[in-house]
Amino acid sequence: MIDHIKLASSKSKGKRPYFHEDPAVERVLNITMAIAGELAVMRERMDTMERLLEKKGLVSQEEIDAYVPETKEEETQRQEWHSEYISRVLRIVQQEMEELENPDKSIADIANDIDKM
Amino acid sequence: MAKNLPPVWNKIAKHAMMPETNHDERARYNFLASLNKHLAHVSQGNKMAYEKRVEPAFKAKNGRNIASVEELQEAISKDSHYQIWSSLRRSTMEMRQQAGRSIVLRQAEELRDKAEGFNKGKSTLVLDPNCKVPEYLLAVDNHLMPGSYHTELIEGDVTPAANYDSGIFVTTAGLLGRYNDGGGKAITSWVKKTYPDFAPKRILDIGCGMGHNVLPIARAFPNAEVIAIDTGAPMLRYAHARALDLGVTNVTFMQMDAAKTIFENESFDWVQSTMFFHETGGKSIYKIMNEVYRLLKPGGLTLHIEQPQYTNDMTLFEKFIRDWDALNNSEPYWSKMHDIEPIDLMQASGFRKEDFMQIGAKAENDLDDGTQKAEEPEDHGRSPIWNVFGAIKN
Ligand SMILES: C[S@@+](CC[C@H](N)C(=O)[O-])C[C@H]1O[C@@H](n2cnc3c(N)ncnc32)[C@H](O)[C@@H]1O
């Protein structure tokens, strides 16, 4: 059997062009676009589920669209989810800020420090 | 209503060879078709960035206008809009290949078996293990398709064609119709209208690929013997099985190099190619055209559907942006071929100047339900508006 997962992502012949000064930008953009794609795929699946639920008379799309949290607890749970999600996605920005606030030594320096401890 | 929506992928016609797709795989194709369409609109921003920023900055620095495509390339490559558009487009094309391959490779064996079911024992599929893949096809994977048209990952592989068939919808945003055959249909209609008495007995299609564009021709002339050749065995296996499933039985698919065929002099009434020459090479293109001339009967017709032609009155920017796909979507010969005038190419093979013809053709799209009627900016990559050139041999 062929390794279909690996082969599906094979490179084509010819040097890959990079358009930004720093290839890292290109790399991150490509990863981000792949995730954007998977989000669209997920959204389409949700759409299918909502429509099937409606067809079977279980939940209507209006009900879903009109839904708002009904208790304080539900409100908090939702907002907590958003907060945690955003923090997870923007982790690196937060860490860069922490570093700015609290300039750190490099781990190599710390190793030298520890060596003397 | 939103303008310019590409049709959903599941609108394209199903036939026995079309790979199975699950919900997420179809959704991925839908996403990529929309993304592709979006970028075709955003690419209008390149012109704006060029006119408003790149050109004025160059002028201020050098005291003169940009004088060549090379200078333009150098200057625009530092523009941030151009950079993000380019990397997004490149990434979309790579994702399209990944999405298609992830569908077909997981079912490579099933697809192979289906094709074998149709192909076994049929005299209308003639493979030749001694046929060499032209070196220009070995040098690059055209439009970023890993392994090109010939690579066989398993014995009897058909996945390159299955990938092409299921995914071309994405690159053209559905503009080629349910069977991806808008080009073949357009040329058939044109020939029927222009030459109502033309009754070809033998027709040759060179570089037929997965055969989608030769089928409308074969259907329009059911009594003709149609031969379709290609060097890629996976393409031919798939094309033959696909044609039989779609009920077309008057096409023989043969593995053969168009530059040196085995056919006799003056043995065809019509020699056709579709989106073929821009994926050949600088010497081969002449050899192939010589062969076309040799094979045509006197009074025979030859037509070649190609990418839009470059013209001298095009601005530097237009020339540059048209080459974008050639270089960054790996269609390298396309960037060279436009230096050859079709009329010169044909005259070099013996066709007469006064017999040369050139027309424009637009895909006949049976998927168009009105949602595509909005003003369409020209997509410099895969626009369904082509240049057709050809001649009658006299
Ligand atoms: C872009 S595809 C075009 C397929 C099809 N005609 C269409 O309408 O889309 C080009 C095809 O030409 C084939 N090809 C390239 N050079 C060839 C040659 N010298 N002889 C035969 N086939 C060739 C490739 O294998 C490939 O399948």
Side-chain angles (χ1 to χ4, degrees):
Chain A
M1 262 251 301
I2 54 173
D3 183 350
H4 62 93
I5 295 181
K6 183 166 179 233
L7 285 169
S9 297
S10 305
K11 179 188 167 299
S12 61
K13 266 182 203 160
K15 200 176 179 62
R16 191 189 192 287
Y18 282 77
F19 300 95
H20 300 274
E21 281 83 16
D22 183 347
V25 175
E26 193 98 14
R27 189 184 307 140
V28 175
L29 182 84
N30 273 267
I31 295 171
T32 311
M33 287 312 290
I35 295 172
E38 294 312 296
L39 184 62
V41 167
M42 189 65 81
R43 176 68 184 72
E44 196 168 294
R45 201 171 178 100
M46 291 273 288
D47 182 61
T48 298
M49 281 172 58
E50 288 178 16
R51 284 174 203 275
L52 287 176
L53 287 172
E54 171 150 28
K55 276 193 188 133
K56 291 182 189 284
L58 296 174
V59 182
S60 74
Q61 283 196 318
E62 281 81 51
E63 269 177 279
I64 289 172
D65 275 330
Y67 177 85
V68 289
E70 282 153 13
T71 64
K72 183 70 198 162
E73 198 192 351
E74 282 174 1
E75 285 173 12
T76 312
Q77 280 171 355
R78 284 211 171 189
Q79 295 310 79
E80 253 176 26
W81 185 89
H82 277 296
S83 169
E84 193 184 349
Y85 172 72
I86 291 166
S87 161
R88 197 174 309 200
V89 172
L90 296 182
R91 183 198 70 254
I92 188 163
V93 185
Q94 179 184 331
Q95 293 185 354
E96 282 174 4
M97 266 168 52
E98 288 178 13
E99 160 83 41
L100 211 62
E101 221 172 333
N102 245 328
D104 248 327
K105 288 183 172 173
S106 74
I107 299 299
D109 285 347
I110 294 175
N112 289 335
D113 289 351
I114 292 177
D115 205 24
K116 291 184 208 112
M117 284 178 185
Chain B
M1 212 179 61
K3 288 173 164 187
N4 265 319
L5 302 177
V8 287
W9 186 86
N10 55 279
K11 279 274 154 87
I12 66 169
K14 303 300 174 298
H15 51 72
M17 287 313 300
M18 190 56 96
E20 298 287 334
T21 55
N22 63 34
H23 192 284
D24 291 357
E25 290 168 338
R26 290 191 292 277
R28 213 163 274 129
Y29 270 161
N30 285 338
F31 165 73
L32 290 171
S34 287
L35 179 56
N36 192 25
K37 196 131 190 169
H38 177 85
L39 290 177
H41 288 252
V42 175
S43 81
Q44 305 300 298
N46 280 330
K47 186 149 185 265
M48 218 186 312
Y50 176 67
E51 284 165 0
K52 294 210 161 139
R53 290 201 293 239
V54 178
E55 227 178 356
F58 183 95
K59 224 169 165 172
K61 190 166 161 233
N62 300 285
R64 61 172 177 88
N65 288 328
I66 292 178
S68 68
V69 173
E70 291 70 34
E71 275 185 3
L72 198 164
Q73 153 84 43
E74 169 76 18
I76 203 170
S77 69
K78 298 188 180 69
D79 186 85
S80 66
H81 180 84
Y82 170 77
Q83 289 175 345
I84 189 75
W85 177 83
S86 300
S87 52
L88 283 170
R89 179 147 171 87
R90 169 81 188 196
S91 160
T92 305
M93 295 303 142
E94 288 180 359
M95 284 194 282
R96 174 264 168 270
Q97 287 303 328
Q98 205 278 341
R101 284 165 64 82
S102 72
I103 293 170
V104 301
L105 297 185
R106 71 168 171 80
Q107 52 187 305
E109 273 128 20
E110 288 90 329
L111 286 167
R112 184 258 324 269
D113 294 346
K114 275 192 224 174
E116 260 175 25
F118 283 98
N119 297 343
K120 220 174 173 152
K122 297 281 185 340
S123 59
T124 40
L125 175 64
V126 185
L127 297 182
D128 173 10
N130 294 321
C131 171
K132 282 213 180 71
V133 176
E135 54 179 351
Y136 56 76
L137 283 182
L138 296 174
V140 69
D141 290 334
N142 277 300
H143 35 78
L144 310 179
M145 190 171 65
S148 190
Y149 302 101
H150 58 272
T151 301
E152 309 199 12
L153 294 173
I154 58 171
E155 213 185 311
D157 201 1
V158 296
T159 55
N163 173 28
Y164 195 104
D165 198 8
S166 73
I168 191 171
F169 164 89
V170 172
T171 15
T172 59
L175 293 171
L176 297 180
R178 296 180 64 227
Y179 289 94
N180 300 315
D181 60 356
K185 277 186 178 164
I187 206 71
T188 306
S189 301
W190 186 83
V191 167
K192 284 251 172 195
K193 201 174 105 231
T194 314
Y195 306 105
D197 299 328
F198 186 48
K201 289 198 197 69
R202 257 182 126 218
I203 302 171
L204 178 68
D205 185 54
I206 55 179
C208 64
M210 52 120 177
H212 50 304
N213 280 318
V214 72
L215 296 195
I217 297 176
R219 278 202 191 92
F221 298 97
N223 298 321
E225 178 194 4
V226 183
I227 296 174
I229 62 171
D230 202 286
T231 47
M235 305 308 282
L236 294 163
R237 290 186 193 107
Y238 184 95
H240 181 256
R242 182 182 183 276
L244 289 190
D245 184 60
L246 294 174
V248 180
T249 52
N250 59 330
V251 187
T252 300
F253 290 91
M254 302 179 82
Q255 190 174 10
M256 208 184 289
D257 186 337
K260 30 181 190 278
T261 71
I262 58 158
F263 306 114
E264 280 173 25
N265 289 353
E266 308 190 341
S267 55
F268 287 93
D269 302 285
W270 180 359
V271 179
Q272 172 69 28
S273 82
T274 306
M275 302 307 269
F276 167 71
F277 278 116
H278 72 276
E279 287 188 12
T280 62
K283 290 206 175 98
S284 309
I285 193 171
Y286 288 97
K287 289 188 194 153
I288 295 169
M289 194 55 90
N290 285 344
E291 191 68 357
V292 169
Y293 186 83
R294 182 182 75 79
L295 295 176
L296 267 186
K297 291 181 195 167
L301 171 71
T302 187
L303 291 171
H304 308 282
I305 303 188
E306 259 309 325
Q307 298 286 1
Q309 192 61 20
Y310 278 46
T311 54
N312 286 334
D313 57 356
M314 261 180 204
T315 62
L316 277 183
F317 179 80
E318 274 178 283
K319 288 181 181 163
F320 164 75
I321 206 76
R322 271 163 198 267
D323 263 357
W324 194 98
D325 258 57
L327 299 174
N328 296 307
N329 190 27
S330 285
E331 296 259 19
Y333 188 57
W334 183 5
S335 75
K336 302 287 179 196
M337 187 187 155
H338 53 66
D339 294 338
I340 303 177
E341 284 295 332
I343 190 166
D344 296 336
L345 170 65
M346 298 205 62
Q347 272 192 282
S349 299
F351 291 98
R352 299 190 317 186
K353 196 172 182 177
E354 57 269 39
D355 297 328
F356 177 77
M357 59 181 120
Q358 193 151 3
I359 55 168
K362 192 174 184 311
E364 282 182 20
N365 179 7
D366 57 4
L367 263 175
D368 191 351
D369 58 3
T371 47
Q372 313 205 328
K373 284 281 189 289
E375 271 297 290
E376 187 83 13
E378 192 176 352
D379 176 353
H380 302 286
R382 297 250 150 236
S383 148
I385 298 161
W386 304 291
N387 172 42
V388 181
F389 64 89
I392 303 248
K393 176 177 172 181
N394 274 306

